């Protein structure tokens, strides 16, 4: 997964967090998406520590609203050249 950019929703707990960790351990750049920044930051810090991969980013969004999704898409487009895995 090296040189791949992966977006994981619901990444601050459960299956989403486990997925983000697995991708980070395989060398991917991981963008963790969730609603609560504090929980995302805590999960991202844990993932960076466990995986040894510093390429773990967090982005907040409420995926229940179109406005928030569009804002997230704009931020991702500005920050990353492409997304390989969603």
């Amino acid at each position: 997964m090296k040189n791949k950019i992966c977006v994981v929703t619901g990444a601050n707990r459960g299956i989403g967090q486990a997925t983000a960790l697995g991708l980070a351990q395989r060398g991917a750049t991981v963008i963790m998406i969730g609603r609560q920044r504090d929980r995302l930051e805590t999960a991202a810090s844990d993932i960076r520590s466990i995986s040894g991969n510093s390429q773990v980013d967090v982005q907040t969004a409420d995926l229940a609203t179109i406005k928030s999704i569009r804002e997230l898409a704009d931020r991702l487009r500005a920050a990353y050249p492409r997304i390989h895995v969603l």
Side-chain angles (χ1 to χ4, degrees):
M1 294 301 295
K2 288 190 186 286
N3 301 317
K4 300 292 183 190
I5 299 171
C6 306
V7 174
V8 181
T9 61
N12 63 321
R13 62 185 179 164
I15 293 171
Q17 186 174 359
T19 300
L21 174 60
L23 291 167
Q25 287 175 322
R26 288 166 180 77
T29 296
V30 179
I31 306 161
M32 299 172 64
I33 309 294
R35 287 182 295 209
Q36 297 177 329
R37 180 163 290 279
D38 58 336
R39 287 186 180 182
L40 282 171
E41 291 290 354
T42 299
S45 178
D46 292 345
I47 288 171
R48 287 183 200 107
S49 178
I50 293 167
S51 70
N53 182 346
S54 64
Q55 299 298 315
V56 178
D57 186 16
V58 298
Q59 293 285 330
T60 57
D62 181 355
L63 300 181
T65 69
I66 295 297
K67 180 182 177 196
S68 183
I69 293 168
R70 287 186 175 143
E71 290 169 351
L72 172 64
D74 289 342
R75 290 193 312 268
L76 293 177
R77 231 177 308 190
Y80 298 95
R82 67 185 51 177
I83 294 173
H84 299 98
V85 177
L86 175 61

